[in-house]
């Protein structure tokens, strides 16, 4: 309240040390992470959020923030882990599916990516063209060519000038005629 994050950090670190199982509202982990976020110390913020996530199986705000920070860093296993944690708490939120599909794409887990993109499409997304395209790419990798073609066409239906989707359709057509 007095805008003295250095002093608050000392007190909160001591609170975490003395009461490591305090995960209730306004717990010291969340407050300490908020201080690190405001001061731009993302490494320390991640460290504290990971400790909170290990102790609190319903820390959805921490899971979401860890997904955001880990995706920026390219730490895709951590993104996937926290997306799964968040989905275990609330499977009706779109954000963890998006992060999970993105992480699966980067990790080469096409089956998981397909599941994530399919679920996102069911949740009435803002940009269905991109999701249909990404789903088509992963279905093609799995050699589900007919379904991949259907999704790339759905992407083009949503966004007729989607160049990458045009390229994918052309590549699929060329491969088919070989």
């Amino acid at each position: 309240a007095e805008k003295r994050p250095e002093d608050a950090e000392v007190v909160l670190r001591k609170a975490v040390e003395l009461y490591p199982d305090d995960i209730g509202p306004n717990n010291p982990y969340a407050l300490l992470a908020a201080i690190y976020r405001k001061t731009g110390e993302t490494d320390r913020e991640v460290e504290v959020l990971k400790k909170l996530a290990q102790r609190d199986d319903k820390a959805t705000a921490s899971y979401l923030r860890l997904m955001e920070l880990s995706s920026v860093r390219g730490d895709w296993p951590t993104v996937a882990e926290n997306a799964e944690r968040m989905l275990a708490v609330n499977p009706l939120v779109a954000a963890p599916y998006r992060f999970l599909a993105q992480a699966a794409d980067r990790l080469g887990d096409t089956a998981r990516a397909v599941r994530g993109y399919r679920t996102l499409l069911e949740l009435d997304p803002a940009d269905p063209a991109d999701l249909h395209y990404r789903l088509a790419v992963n279905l093609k990798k799995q050699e589900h060519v007919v379904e991949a073609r259907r999704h790339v066409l759905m992407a083009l239906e949503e966004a007729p000038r989607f160049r990458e989707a045009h390229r994918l359709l052309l590549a699929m057509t060329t491969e088919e005629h070989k």
Side-chain angles (χ1 to χ4, degrees):
E2 296 177 17
K3 309 273 190 236
R4 296 185 345 217
E6 308 82 24
D7 296 339
E9 178 186 0
V10 172
V11 171
L12 290 170
R13 280 195 164 285
K14 188 67 172 176
V16 165
E17 183 182 313
L18 294 173
Y19 306 103
D21 294 328
D22 180 8
I23 55 171
N26 295 322
N27 66 71
Y29 295 100
L31 296 172
L32 194 54
I35 287 173
Y36 292 143
R37 184 176 187 171
K38 285 182 184 176
T39 59
E41 297 179 65
T42 55
D43 290 340
R44 295 175 94 182
E45 180 185 3
V46 167
E47 175 188 324
V48 171
L49 289 173
K50 282 183 176 181
K51 286 179 184 175
L52 176 57
Q54 288 172 349
R55 294 189 180 282
D56 186 0
D57 60 354
K58 294 179 183 150
T60 56
S62 297
Y63 301 152
L64 184 60
R65 183 67 179 153
L66 280 168
M67 285 183 278
E68 291 168 354
L69 292 171
S70 299
S71 68
V72 168
R73 294 170 167 216
D75 182 1
W76 301 111
T78 301
V79 172
E81 176 186 14
N82 285 291
E84 294 284 1
R85 284 176 170 169
M86 190 164 174
L87 290 171
V89 176
N90 187 354
L92 300 176
V93 179
Y97 289 108
R98 181 174 40 85
F99 280 112
L100 184 61
Q102 186 180 22
D105 253 347
R106 295 292 182 2
L107 294 170
D109 186 350
T110 57
R112 208 169 177 188
V114 165
R115 281 194 311 274
Y117 290 129
R118 279 192 173 138
T119 304
L120 279 169
L121 284 167
E122 293 293 322
L123 295 174
D124 196 27
D127 186 7
D130 184 59
L131 295 176
H132 281 295
Y133 168 75
R134 293 182 186 284
L135 180 55
V137 167
N138 282 284
L139 287 167
K140 183 178 180 280
K141 288 177 186 175
Q142 290 183 329
E143 298 184 13
H144 296 281
V145 180
V146 173
E147 194 175 0
R149 175 177 282 114
R150 185 169 59 90
H151 280 284
V152 79
L153 289 170
M154 292 169 89
L156 288 168
E157 182 180 8
E158 291 287 336
R161 295 183 182 191
F162 194 162
R163 290 183 188 269
E164 287 145 359
H166 279 285
R167 285 187 198 104
L168 179 60
L169 184 60
L170 180 62
M172 291 170 68
T173 304
T174 303
E175 286 174 10
E176 184 179 285
H177 286 56
K178 283 184 177 180

